[in-house]
C-alpha cells in the first residue's frame, strides 16, 4: 500500500492563493490599506450622503417640477390626477396648454426649481422660482384640502 506511484487525490478546500488567482505564499498576511486611502473613501462617502440629505426637493417642488415638465412636453396626461377634478377639463384645452408650452420652452431646458413661498402665505399656496437655461420663470400653485392642484400659474418673475 506504500506504492510511490499512487498519489493522494483527496479533494480539499482551496487555500487563499487559489481564490481570485492570488500568488501570496501561505502564511503571508495581506498588506493593510493605507490610511490616506481609507480617509479619502470616508470623506467621499460623507460628502455623498450629506449632499443627498441636504439637496433634495420637497414634495411640492417635485409636484411643480412634474407639472412644468408636462407643460414643456405639451402633454398634461402624466399629471392629470394631481389636479382637482374641477381643473382637469382645462388640461385638455390643447390651445391653452400649447401656448403655455411654447412660453415655457422659450426659456430652454429646465435646470431646477426652488420653492420660496413667503411666510404667512395662505394654507395650500406655494410659490416657486423655476430655473431654465435662458432665464427664470415663477410659478404659483394652490392645493385644495385633498392635496390636489386647484390653481397653477406660470408667469415672469416679478422683482420683490
Amino acid at each position: 500500500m506504500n506504492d510511490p506511484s499512487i498519489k493522494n487525490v483527496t479533494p480539499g478546500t482551496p487555500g487563499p492563493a487559489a481564490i481570485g488567482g492570488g500568488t501570496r505564499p501561505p502564511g503571508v498576511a495581506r498588506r493593510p490599506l493605507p490610511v490616506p486611502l481609507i480617509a479619502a473613501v470616508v470623506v467621499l462617502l460623507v460628502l455623498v450622503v450629506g449632499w443627498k440629505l441636504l439637496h433634495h426637493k420637497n414634495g411640492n417642488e417635485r409636484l411643480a417640477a412634474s407639472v412644468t415638465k408636462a407643460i414643456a412636453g405639451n402633454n398634461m396626461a402624466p399629471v392629470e390626477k394631481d389636479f382637482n377634478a374641477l381643473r382637469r377639463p382645462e388640461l385638455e384645452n390643447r390651445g391653452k396648454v400649447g401656448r403655455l408650452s411654447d412660453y415655457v420652452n422659450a426659456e430652454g431646458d429646465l435646470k431646477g426649481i426652488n420653492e420660496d413661498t413667503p411666510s404667512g402665505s395662505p394654507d395650500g399656496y406655494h410659490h416657486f422660482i423655476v430655473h431654465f437655461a435662458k432665464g427664470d420663470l415663477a410659478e404659483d400653485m394652490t392645493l385644495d384640502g385633498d392635496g390636489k392642484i386647484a390653481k397653477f400659474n406660470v408667469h415672469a418673475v416679478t422683482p420683490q
Side-chain angles (χ1 to χ4, degrees), residues 63 79-91 142-152:
L63 179 58
V79 295
E80 188 173 320
K81 298 277 186 201
D82 296 319
F83 280 82
N84 179 305
L86 298 173
R87 296 293 178 199
R88 287 186 194 143
E90 293 178 32
L91 304 178
T142 304
L143 303 176
D144 65 12
D146 295 326
K148 301 290 184 178
I149 300 171
K151 292 181 186 176
F152 194 89

Side-chain angles (χ1 to χ4, degrees), residues 82-147:
D82 296 319
F83 280 82
N84 179 305
L86 298 173
R87 296 293 178 199
R88 287 186 194 143
E90 293 178 32
L91 304 178
E92 296 171 9
N93 182 333
R94 301 296 289 168
K96 187 175 185 178
V97 173
R99 284 189 298 277
L100 192 55
S101 178
D102 290 344
Y103 180 67
V104 167
N105 282 316
E107 296 301 324
D109 292 336
L110 177 65
K111 297 296 181 189
I113 186 166
N114 299 99
E115 182 169 4
D116 69 343
T117 304
S119 61
S121 295
D123 288 345
Y125 173 79
H126 301 276
H127 185 267
F128 307 93
I129 300 297
V130 187
H131 308 286
F132 293 92
K134 297 179 183 176
D136 296 342
L137 293 176
E139 293 179 345
D140 298 303
M141 178 174 72
T142 304
L143 303 176
D144 65 12
D146 295 326

Side-chain angles (χ1 to χ4, degrees), residues 35-106:
V35 174
L37 178 63
I38 295 171
V41 169
V42 169
V43 167
L44 182 62
L45 183 63
V46 167
L47 288 174
V48 168
V49 170
W51 184 81
K52 286 289 188 184
L53 291 175
L54 296 176
H55 290 89
H56 66 281
K57 293 180 183 176
N58 68 34
N60 297 321
E61 287 174 338
R62 281 191 298 272
L63 179 58
S66 295
V67 174
T68 303
K69 289 175 186 174
I71 290 169
N74 197 14
N75 180 9
M76 299 302 288
V79 295
E80 188 173 320
K81 298 277 186 201
D82 296 319
F83 280 82
N84 179 305
L86 298 173
R87 296 293 178 199
R88 287 186 194 143
E90 293 178 32
L91 304 178
E92 296 171 9
N93 182 333
R94 301 296 289 168
K96 187 175 185 178
V97 173
R99 284 189 298 277
L100 192 55
S101 178
D102 290 344
Y103 180 67
V104 167
N105 282 316

